[in-house]
Amino acid sequence: MMKNLSKHGADFIDDAKINDLVKNMKEDKGRVRAIIAKSMEKKPLAVEETAVLLSAESPDLVEEIFNAARQLKKDVYGNRIVIFAPLYIGNYCVNECAYCAFRRSLRTTVRKTLNQDELIAQVEALEDSGHKRLILVFGEHPDYTPDFIAETVRTVYTVKRGHGEIRRVNINAAPMDHEGYRKVKDSGIGTYQIFQETYHHETYAKVHPAHTHKGDYLWRLDGLSRAFESGCDDMGIGALFGLYNWKFEVLGLVTHSHHLQKTYGVGPHTISFPRVRPAHGVELDRKYFVSDHDFKRLVAILRLSVPYTGMILTARETAEIRREVMAFGVSQIDAGTRIELAGYTKKAEGQELNKEQFQIGDVRPMDEILRELMQNGYVPSFCTSCYRSGRTGQIFMEYAIPGFIEKFCTPNALLTLEEYLLDYSSPETRKVGEKLVAEELQKIKEGPQKQKLLERLNNIRNAGDRDLYF
Ligand code: SAM
Ligand code: SF4
């Protein structure tokens, strides 16, 4: 089959250049501090400048990077954290990714694709716990065509129970051709997410055999470019950390981000940085596994390098790590996560690894995660307003517009949190939440905007209104 790349389809990852930056950059305190200062002005960093931050090894300098990332996160995102859940639709797969329990040759993995009734039951269970934003996850298989994916997305949007509804459906699925992307875009997806896994060609070839679909590095690297050309202007990139040198992968992500920005005028909406987790039937060389300390460094450096890109930290990580790393610039986390097929309707009784892609680290229920977030001063947000108001892609200059957070993000976070507290939270969590909402309202300056927000909150509380947003 003839595969058509994007108009600008070319391999823009130069291994030798990136390796040279990683290996030959020596720590220079003056330069590191100058780059930190530049990033504090919320200016995106060049690949070379990011490499300067990666060269910082002295504990005091690394601490300065952590502090800068904490500050930048506060300045750009405030204290909101967007909440979502992954929903696995099917784990049949034709690929042979060495790190994944869904790879084709693994006969002991239990395979399943949700049927229509099961899909609806999962979405209802997610709605019953308060979720409004999902990411649907698919293996790569001839059954999971763009039509099938689009149909699944449409079904999810139709499921409503009580006040429950899913207002934004994102997808993580194998790369498609232009026509495929147009079909899934038409079904109303939010973000289309795809991870390059490793940007290092040789490692990529090692973990994705050449005879498999995923073995085609360039087809995958070019996937988001084709998606953009087909109308998907909201894209998520990512690398699976632990396959190759973590510093190389950071520079790969930043290069990819610049490529999209330069070529299409729109950078990625989100960056994901999963670390390889133990998985059924998976034995990996641990040589490149990333320590907790280096993980914190990579999150902080990505924050400084791409100040306006959302950063996703998933339940692969433990509660302790999530607690700590969140402050360095994370803007989205999943909560109440189950990755077993049809897992949301099962009693929580631990993972069955032969049915799941990998082991997760944070298995706490949604209510508990939200309570802890609020106790730590974060405002959990279920906001889906930008996407539904057409503020995406090039016109989605979230955070770049002065006053954007005050005008949209904070009020919408409070409105959606209030819905959650009234409809889904435990009494204990509601108490913590109502106190937080009151404190956040105190911080907002008096004026017509605040008045409107108070009216809407009142309508949610007393008139039963829902889905009010700015
Ligand atoms: N089949 C699609 C694909 O490969 O693009 C969907 C991907 S998969 C269901 C979502 C992501 O999980 C993968 O892109 C990979 O980065 C990650 N993943 C796979 N195995 C993992 C493991 N053992 N630990 C952590 N993350 C893993
Ligand atoms: Fe299949 Fe994706 Fe797992 Fe690779 S990572 S085996 S493509 S599900």
Side-chain angles (χ1 to χ4, degrees), residues 5-116:
L5 292 175
S6 68
K7 281 195 203 95
H8 310 277
D11 192 345
F12 50 84
I13 297 291
D14 181 343
D15 286 20
K17 182 181 156 206
I18 297 182
N19 259 330
D20 186 53
L21 283 170
V22 169
K23 301 222 163 98
N24 298 328
M25 187 77 75
K26 295 280 166 289
E27 178 183 290
D28 171 339
K29 291 197 173 181
R31 273 183 87 194
V32 173
R33 291 194 173 116
I35 304 288
I36 294 178
K38 177 178 173 185
S39 70
M40 294 311 286
E41 290 165 23
K42 303 178 197 160
K43 293 197 181 117
L45 301 181
V47 175
E48 290 73 13
E49 291 171 325
T50 310
V52 172
L53 295 185
L54 289 167
S55 72
E57 296 288 344
S58 317
D60 57 331
L61 216 47
V62 171
E63 203 49 50
E64 285 177 41
I65 290 175
F66 288 168
N67 289 337
R70 278 193 204 98
Q71 190 58 47
L72 193 68
K73 143 118 177 138
K74 275 195 203 131
D75 293 350
V76 177
Y77 290 89
N79 54 356
R80 287 164 305 108
I81 294 278
V82 168
I83 306 293
F84 72 96
L87 174 56
Y88 278 67
I89 303 298
N91 68 351
Y92 284 90
C93 193
V94 294
N95 290 320
E96 283 294 346
C97 310
Y99 43 80
C100 180
F102 293 167
R103 66 182 189 276
R104 180 186 203 147
S105 60
L106 204 56
R107 300 287 171 209
T108 44
T109 297
V110 179
R111 309 277 168 176
K112 186 177 175 63
T113 303
L114 299 183
N115 65 31
Q116 182 83 354

Side-chain angles (χ1 to χ4, degrees), residues 22-309:
V22 169
K23 301 222 163 98
N24 298 328
M25 187 77 75
K26 295 280 166 289
E27 178 183 290
D28 171 339
K29 291 197 173 181
R31 273 183 87 194
V32 173
R33 291 194 173 116
I35 304 288
I36 294 178
K38 177 178 173 185
S39 70
M40 294 311 286
E41 290 165 23
K42 303 178 197 160
K43 293 197 181 117
L45 301 181
V47 175
E48 290 73 13
E49 291 171 325
T50 310
V52 172
L53 295 185
L54 289 167
S55 72
E57 296 288 344
S58 317
D60 57 331
L61 216 47
V62 171
E63 203 49 50
E64 285 177 41
I65 290 175
F66 288 168
N67 289 337
R70 278 193 204 98
Q71 190 58 47
L72 193 68
K73 143 118 177 138
K74 275 195 203 131
D75 293 350
V76 177
Y77 290 89
N79 54 356
R80 287 164 305 108
I81 294 278
V82 168
I83 306 293
F84 72 96
L87 174 56
Y88 278 67
I89 303 298
N91 68 351
Y92 284 90
C93 193
V94 294
N95 290 320
E96 283 294 346
C97 310
Y99 43 80
C100 180
F102 293 167
R103 66 182 189 276
R104 180 186 203 147
S105 60
L106 204 56
R107 300 287 171 209
T108 44
T109 297
V110 179
R111 309 277 168 176
K112 186 177 175 63
T113 303
L114 299 183
N115 65 31
Q116 182 83 354
D117 290 345
E118 288 167 333
L119 172 65
I120 292 170
Q122 295 310 300
V123 178
E124 285 177 345
L126 283 157
E127 289 177 357
D128 287 348
S129 66
H131 277 291
K132 299 285 187 274
R133 307 168 60 110
L134 299 184
I135 180 152
L136 308 187
V137 186
F138 301 81
E140 180 162 6
H141 191 268
D143 285 353
Y144 309 148
T145 59
D147 285 310
F148 172 80
I149 294 173
E151 210 33 56
T152 308
V153 171
R154 289 199 177 90
T155 304
V156 171
Y157 280 125
T158 63
V159 180
K160 317 246 174 200
R161 198 143 84 154
H163 286 307
E165 61 181 350
I166 300 302
R167 299 174 184 160
R168 178 175 173 123
V169 179
N170 300 328
I171 63 167
N172 180 318
M176 303 171 206
D177 59 16
H178 287 86
E179 193 196 339
Y181 283 124
R182 278 192 286 274
K183 284 183 181 165
V184 297
K185 176 65 190 164
D186 279 354
S187 68
I189 60 162
T191 306
Y192 169 66
Q193 180 189 71
I194 185 177
F195 304 156
Q196 186 63 21
E197 318 296 11
T198 173
Y199 285 91
H200 185 247
H201 289 77
E202 196 185 315
T203 306
Y204 189 93
K206 215 155 56 188
V207 293
H208 306 112
H211 66 274
T212 61
H213 283 231
K214 199 155 161 180
D216 189 340
Y217 180 105
L218 179 55
W219 180 247
R220 194 165 181 93
L221 186 68
D222 186 60
L224 288 173
S225 303
R226 296 191 301 280
F228 186 87
E229 290 176 356
S230 313
C232 306
D233 57 1
D234 188 326
M235 298 163 292
I237 63 173
L240 181 57
F241 281 86
L243 301 176
Y244 187 59
N245 184 322
W246 65 271
K247 295 183 179 181
F248 186 102
E249 306 297 9
V250 168
L251 297 182
L253 287 167
V254 174
T255 306
H256 198 169
S257 171
H258 285 304
H259 174 79
L260 292 171
Q261 179 73 46
K262 211 168 61 211
T263 315
Y264 299 107
V266 180
H269 183 45
T270 58
I271 291 197
S272 300
F273 33 86
R275 274 194 291 184
V276 173
R277 296 284 301 155
H280 170 69
V282 171
E283 281 297 329
L284 282 180
D285 184 351
R286 301 178 67 86
K287 180 171 176 201
Y288 292 113
F289 279 21
V290 180
S291 69
D292 290 349
H293 180 66
D294 288 343
F295 186 61
K296 285 184 234 162
R297 288 170 70 193
L298 79 86
V299 176
I301 291 171
L302 280 171
R303 174 66 303 142
L304 297 180
S305 183
V306 287
Y308 294 114
T309 305

